């Protein structure tokens, strides 16, 4: 598979997972539904003070990505626009807002605050964000077999998923084993 085809495949699977209502477009409502699904999946175990930070970071990521796609703010983004926006993005700009989102998500899902995601914590996030094989994804990402993912590992996996054209990048497995 050509390297750009791999990136487009990953971004397409991400789009499909994020499209919460299945209408073939992404909108702020789709992302709001994913954030709310995360809150529901974690229930009373999550720190409610971190929920607002996750909501805000998610919407900043949306604003950046949808702006790069050429969409009018607040409007929907097609699958093709989503993929193109990520492929053509200024890496430094996208990285800054993406890592802010990833950190807020990690902090919310890291229930015990130990800066590591256990398989159970990862499953809660993965199920809420439409990842079909959470255990397969976790196992593929947990290269050292420690049973957890550090924040730095998670950031790297997400960065690889959204930017890497290397077919062997471990982050390719974020949405499940490739």
């Amino acid at each position: 598979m050509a390297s750009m085809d791999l990136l487009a495949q990953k971004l397409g699977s991400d789009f499909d997972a994020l499209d919460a209502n299945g209408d073939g477009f992404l909108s702020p409502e789709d992302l709001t539904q994913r954030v709310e699904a995360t809150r529901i999946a974690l229930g009373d175990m999550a720190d409610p003070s971190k929920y607002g930070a996750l909501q805000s970071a998610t919407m900043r990521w949306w604003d950046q990505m949808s702006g790069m796609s050429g969409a009018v703010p607040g409007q929907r983004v097609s699958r093709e626009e989503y993929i193109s926006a990520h492929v053509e993005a200024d890496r430094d700009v996208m990285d800054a807002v993406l890592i802010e989102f990833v950190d807020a998500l990690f902090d919310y899902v890291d229930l015990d605050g130990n800066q590591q995601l256990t398989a159970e914590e990862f499953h809660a996030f993965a199920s809420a964000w439409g990842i079909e094989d959470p255990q397969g994804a976790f196992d593929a990402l947990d290269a050292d077999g420690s049973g957890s993912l550090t924040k730095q590992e998670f950031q790297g996996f997400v960065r690889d998923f959204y930017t890497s054209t290397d077919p062997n990048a471990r982050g390719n497995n974020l949405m499940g084993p490739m």
Side-chain angles (χ1 to χ4, degrees):
M1 172 181 306
S3 61
M4 291 310 282
D5 289 342
L6 171 64
L7 185 57
Q9 177 188 351
K10 292 187 298 182
L11 293 167
S13 70
D14 184 50
F15 178 93
D16 294 343
L18 292 174
D19 183 12
N21 64 11
D23 68 353
F25 293 91
L26 288 185
S27 67
E29 292 78 22
D30 288 308
L31 298 179
T32 299
Q33 286 180 31
R34 292 299 181 202
V35 170
E36 179 63 10
T38 305
R39 187 191 63 74
I40 292 168
L42 297 175
D44 294 337
M45 297 179 295
D47 180 348
S49 69
K50 296 179 181 177
Y51 186 70
L54 176 57
Q55 288 175 308
S56 296
T58 302
M59 288 302 105
R60 278 191 292 280
W61 172 77
W62 164 260
D63 289 344
Q64 182 69 37
M65 185 282 304
S66 64
M68 290 186 305
S69 75
V72 175
Q75 296 296 313
R76 346 185 275 177
V77 172
S78 72
R79 191 174 205 269
E80 293 74 26
E81 290 169 329
Y82 181 80
I83 292 169
S84 178
H86 282 83
V87 168
E88 297 170 11
D90 177 301
R91 292 291 167 232
D92 293 333
V93 171
M94 183 57 111
D95 195 52
V97 72
L98 181 63
I99 294 304
E100 177 190 1
F101 161 70
V102 168
D103 286 350
L105 179 62
F106 187 99
D107 291 344
Y108 188 70
V109 176
D110 180 17
L111 298 174
D112 58 10
N114 69 349
Q115 298 296 298
Q116 297 183 35
L117 293 184
T118 64
E120 294 77 23
E121 291 167 332
F122 183 85
H123 285 208
F125 138 74
S127 297
W129 287 82
I131 297 174
E132 293 184 15
D133 182 7
Q135 187 61 50
F138 184 84
D139 290 344
L141 296 172
D142 184 22
D144 62 6
S146 66
S148 65
L149 305 174
T150 67
K151 184 183 266 191
Q152 292 74 26
E153 287 174 325
F154 194 63
Q155 289 171 342
F157 297 145
V158 172
R159 188 177 286 117
D160 280 353
F161 182 83
Y162 282 97
T163 63
S164 179
T165 57
D166 177 358
N168 298 312
R170 188 161 301 280
N172 293 346
N173 299 296
L174 186 64
M175 299 299 289
M178 299 250 343

